[in-house]
Amino acid sequence: MILELREYTALPDRTEDLHRRFADETLDLFREFGLDLRGFWHVVDDRRRIYYLCAFEDVNAAVEFWDAFRADPRWIGLKERSEAEGPLIEEIVSTYLTEPEYMAAHR
């Protein structure tokens, strides 16, 4: 298993729109798609920076999941509606994480 840490930086004037999109629709769509979401946060005193952590069998499974998600008509429609007045996101960074084998001995 791997974890994917996704970091979103909202455009300054679109921060609350991005939070609303996650809260009102995207998280439900993630659930419908079976995303193993482990946590969801924003930086204290900086709501522009949103992080979430999700689990996948391996990197290939993550890539396949996101490819299918981005191609889904529901996501395409949601993205188009929510970005009718312009984009919401300045940057997305994705980092794949795995636990070092020596951590098992420290549990």
Side-chain angles (χ1 to χ4, degrees):
M1 181 189 71
I2 58 122
L3 296 172
E4 180 183 13
L5 178 64
R6 294 180 65 90
E7 175 186 357
Y8 287 59
T9 304
L11 287 165
D13 59 336
R14 302 303 307 272
T15 299
E16 295 312 312
D17 296 322
L18 180 57
H19 277 281
R20 197 168 21 262
R21 181 169 79 184
F22 274 117
D24 294 348
E25 297 186 71
T26 306
L27 292 176
D28 289 337
L29 196 53
F30 283 172
R31 188 177 317 107
E32 289 178 30
F33 260 77
L35 180 64
D36 186 355
L37 187 61
R38 300 293 178 97
F40 199 95
W41 308 269
H42 68 80
V43 173
V44 173
D45 297 328
D46 185 0
R47 289 178 56 84
R48 288 185 62 215
R49 293 177 46 214
I50 298 170
Y51 292 83
Y52 61 93
L53 192 64
C54 37
F56 294 97
E57 183 64 31
D58 54 34
V59 173
N60 287 336
V63 170
E64 289 175 9
F65 175 90
W66 292 117
D67 285 348
F69 184 83
R70 282 189 295 271
D72 185 83
R74 293 168 295 172
W75 167 247
I76 292 168
L78 169 58
K79 187 173 185 327
E80 287 174 355
R81 283 191 315 277
S82 62
E83 295 185 354
E85 296 178 21
L88 303 179
I89 299 167
E90 181 176 293
E91 179 181 35
I92 299 173
V93 175
S94 177
T95 305
Y96 296 110
L97 306 167
T98 190
E99 187 175 83
E101 65 283 345
Y102 54 81
M103 282 304 298
H106 292 281
R107 293 187 208 278

